[in-house]
Amino acid sequence: MYLKKATQHLVIFTVLCAMATLLSSCRHTNKQEEPMQVQLGYRAVELIALDGLQFKDLNKNGKLDVYEDWRLPYEERSQDLISKMSLEQKAGFMIISSTRLENDWSFQKPQSEGAISSGFNETDLVWDINMFTKKPLPAPNMGAAGTTKDVTQFHKRHFILRANPSPKILAEWANNLQALCESDGLGIPGIITSNPRNHITMDASIGLSVGKTPFSTWPGELGMAAMRDFELVREFANIARQEWRAAGIRKGYMYMADLATEPRWQRVEGTFGEDADLSANMMREIVLGFQGKELGPNSIALTTKHFPGGGAAEGGHDPHFDWGKREVFPGGMFNTNLIPFKAAIEAGTSAIMPYYSYPVGTQYDEVAYAYNKRILQEVLRGELGFEGIINSDTGPIDMMPWGVEELSITERYKMAIDAGVNIFSGTANPEQLITTLKQHPELMPKVDESVNLLLLEKFRLGLFEDPYVSIDAAISTIGKKEFQLRADLAMRKSIVLLRNTNLGEGKTLPIKPKTKVYFETYYPKKGAEASNVFQTEKNEWDIEIVNTPEKADLILLWLVPKSPSLFDADGSALHINLSNNNVDVDYIKTLTSKKPTILAVNYSNPWAIDEIYQEGSKHVKSVLATFGTTPEALLDVVTGRFKPQGKMPFSTPVSDEAAQNQKSDVPGYMEDEGYALFNFDEGLDGF
């Protein structure tokens, strides 16, 4: 009996101890979960004090609303805010268009002489013609609205920045724009988007890449892929993230997951090459570097483009134009294009941008991808499991409605919303979208889904709590010396050594000390001499740099072919041979015949160089490939200060004829034998 009671007492004691431990743990857990005050940035609203904490009174009603309470889940806050938004506010929220700074005259001739400043451009920009095709529009299109009107009358909160001001002006303007958004209505913050700002590019056009900026300068996207250094790619993205975050640019229309399988395509330069697996690896590192493992207050949200891949353009023509609207798959490789997008989605890309083109000869409807419900719902949402924002490219409703040209503007909006587009890029004026929603109230559940996705992105980025940036931090962070040193390393790693034949005793490269070298860059530009002789006051290389070929032992020729800008296209046949891309072949032949030559070619497309070089060339002793780099980086490689290690991101055809006869959706390494002069993944390690 004693033993039985003792056992019972022991059991009771054990249970009581366990309960005490649990209660203590719960008290400790609750103590840990007590909310900590988050940082609030505000300029145009008051704060609400509650329970020893502070909140922003965004709608200025003097009380704490659910969407203003940073302690609550994002989904709960979003649904509360949606319930407070009018139809007009929701329509404006589903539109993104260009916005302009004071004295920023993007898309038109300057209307004032002052420098770009941090104020607003209050002028509407209205087009009567399609800005791309130069053909008349069925109705005038407002490409950009005056900023105050855009925010307060059109209820816009998504903006595309085109200008390229100083870090100080950029940060000041971003803060001014956020203050305007905060002061209006429900106080919803804005989000500023941009195309890439960190790369050397040959076609720095509005809508493609901003070109030279105050930000750290890295190789072009093809050069980033040529490095085959995915750790450095991630580091690049993290560095650029810090610069963009400091500037107040919280979203990027980037990067291109398209495959460069069509060598004539005018957007090859923005891709990571022709191989799906390489592009997938690049996209994964880029997304994780800019966004992190999940979106947060220090992330830059990315819009991966152009779904489901625009590289198989018929004849290389781009679908910004009606003569380029067809995407063809003669090799049956439609699904291969999805591989880089799958990687971006798995890494968490915030948004996906469908392209203007439509698929030909597939199981899918021949309508542009923004209207293509099966592509967006079955493939993107279903097969790939994408749950983020679908952001149209600029102008599929008003300017590039390929496959649905016969539909009215209202019908196009309805079809695109039904297909799954969440936000429309292009026109600044939401009037036609508002009309569509009023005529088709059955669309409102889809509209609310779209607004929810867009709001969740803003909540996750921390914009509701603090959308403002430090001017001093912007100045000290953007283009920081330490960042540029890492970019300079990438410049060197991106250079590919393709051929290195004998010159006398031993290989041509590295150039022997004290050699006399004539270094010329041949870079065709409008209104300027193509030939430029490299000169420097600080010669860091153990060679003698001379100013004429006659004085030299060796010629170093850096050839930069220049195709017409994408937006200068006229529908003419596209070619990749040098003489059709602004290179004076006779001049080059004459120059290279004077002395043994090291030929470096900058590949913004897979150029065919057979007009000046073939295997066993008498005069050209070494061949290198660059993809946007600097003369200093090239000199470091050819003189042996840096060991070449890059690999080709695509194959280069042996001739333009080979390019004309290839299959647009097939990578060069899968074309018939004899197609390529230089192969994908080719590159010598060292000398």
Side-chain angles (χ1 to χ4, degrees), residues 522 557-561 577-579 583-590 592-593 597 599-601 603 608-621 623 654 677:
Y522 187 94
L557 173 62
W558 190 14
L559 188 62
V560 186
N577 59 312
L578 299 179
S579 57
V583 174
D584 185 340
V585 169
D586 289 336
Y587 171 80
I588 299 298
K589 285 182 176 180
T590 300
T592 57
S593 68
T597 299
L599 174 66
V601 181
Y603 286 95
I609 63 171
D610 56 309
E611 292 167 303
I612 63 169
Y613 174 82
Q614 295 180 359
E615 298 287 14
S617 172
K618 179 181 178 182
H619 301 292
V620 176
K621 300 299 182 181
V623 182
V654 294
L677 172 63

Side-chain angles (χ1 to χ4, degrees), residues 14-30:
T14 303
V15 170
L16 289 172
C17 286
M19 291 176 65
T21 302
L22 180 61
L23 287 170
S24 175
S25 174
C26 288
R27 283 195 296 270
H28 181 66
T29 300
N30 287 338

Side-chain angles (χ1 to χ4, degrees), residues 180-346:
L180 176 62
C181 291
E182 189 178 78
S183 71
D184 177 64
L186 295 165
I188 301 172
I191 190 165
I192 300 166
T193 302
S194 175
N195 289 106
R197 289 177 175 262
N198 290 84
H199 301 283
I200 295 175
T201 179
M202 296 302 107
D203 194 359
S205 302
I206 287 180
L208 302 182
S209 179
V210 180
K212 178 62 179 172
T213 71
F215 293 68
S216 60
T217 303
W218 297 70
E221 289 89 333
L222 289 167
M224 299 295 291
M227 295 191 308
R228 300 297 200 276
D229 185 340
F230 300 119
E231 289 185 8
L232 187 53
V233 171
R234 175 83 71 94
E235 185 180 355
F236 147 72
N238 183 48
I239 284 172
R241 175 195 63 79
Q242 295 174 62
E243 294 179 299
W244 286 51
R245 177 68 178 82
I249 307 172
R250 299 303 305 278
K251 189 162 186 168
Y253 270 179
M254 57 195 189
Y255 277 78
M256 289 174 60
D258 314 77
L259 298 179
T261 50
E262 168 52 77
R264 295 168 291 180
W265 188 34
Q266 290 168 289
R267 301 198 69 173
V268 166
E269 184 181 23
T271 74
F272 295 119
E274 70 181 9
D275 181 66
D277 292 330
L278 173 60
S279 295
N281 288 331
M282 294 295 295
M283 289 306 307
R284 183 178 300 108
E285 300 306 319
I286 290 284
V287 172
L288 290 172
F290 272 99
Q291 293 191 174
K293 292 184 178 179
E294 58 184 25
L295 280 188
N298 291 314
S299 300
I300 305 301
L302 294 193
T303 300
T304 300
K305 54 188 188 180
H306 305 86
F307 193 78
E314 187 175 44
H317 295 293
D318 191 80
H320 276 87
F321 311 97
D322 52 358
W323 55 78
K325 59 190 175 185
R326 291 161 52 91
E327 188 170 24
V328 295
F329 302 91
M333 299 190 71
F334 174 88
N335 287 332
T336 305
N337 287 269
L338 303 179
I339 293 173
F341 290 96
K342 183 179 180 182
I345 290 167
E346 290 175 348

